[in-house]
Amino acid sequence: KEHAVEVAEVAAQLEVLAETLERMQRAEESQKRALEGLTGLKSELEEKKNHVLSLQEQMQQQKELLDAHEEGAAEVQLKETLAAKEALVAELEEHKASAAVAAESQAELARKVAESAN
């Protein structure tokens, strides 16, 4: 009789151990699935990060192109302004020369008037 009780206790303990093992296996499966999910998320995030980096690179290149274009436009504008200034300076020189010629003519005329008055 005592032997039957021991066998029953051992059987009960084995049953508990079997249930515990089953729970551990289910928990392990669950962890495995969670890990696979995390791995999937990680690669998805990695893809998105690479996409963002690619976009940032494209934006940087576009900014550099735009900066270069603006520099070029500013350079063209500066050259045009300098050309306009040079043209104005040349025009001013012509006016000065004309004014000098006119002043000389007036002085000559004044001398002639003075001579004829004497």
Side-chain angles (χ1 to χ4, degrees):
K1 207 174 193 180
E2 213 172 285
H3 185 69
V5 169
E6 281 179 25
V7 169
E9 282 177 11
V10 169
Q13 287 174 350
L14 281 175
E15 182 113 1
V16 168
L17 281 174
E19 286 172 11
T20 304
L21 184 61
E22 211 174 292
R23 277 199 305 277
M24 288 171 71
Q25 283 173 338
R26 281 197 303 268
E28 194 179 338
E29 283 296 316
S30 176
Q31 284 180 340
K32 208 169 159 187
R33 282 193 302 276
L35 187 62
E36 285 168 3
L38 286 175
T39 305
L41 280 177
K42 185 183 172 203
S43 59
E44 216 176 292
L45 281 175
E46 196 68 30
E47 276 179 41
K48 286 181 180 172
K49 184 182 103 178
N50 289 337
H51 182 64
V52 167
L53 288 175
S54 167
L55 287 176
Q56 284 178 333
E57 203 175 296
Q58 286 175 19
M59 282 172 61
Q60 184 62 33
Q61 287 172 351
Q62 286 178 347
K63 183 185 179 297
E64 286 168 10
L65 282 173
L66 195 62
D67 288 350
H69 177 72
E70 284 174 1
E71 266 180 44
E75 202 173 315
V76 166
Q77 198 173 2
L78 185 63
K79 283 180 182 170
E80 287 173 359
T81 304
L82 284 174
K85 180 187 165 206
E86 285 170 12
L88 282 174
V89 167
E91 203 177 313
L92 188 62
E93 291 299 322
E94 281 178 32
H95 284 305
K96 273 189 191 171
S98 297
V101 167
E104 213 174 286
S105 297
Q106 281 186 332
E108 185 71 27
L109 189 63
R111 269 198 306 279
K112 285 182 181 173
V113 168
E115 283 173 14
S116 65
N118 290 338

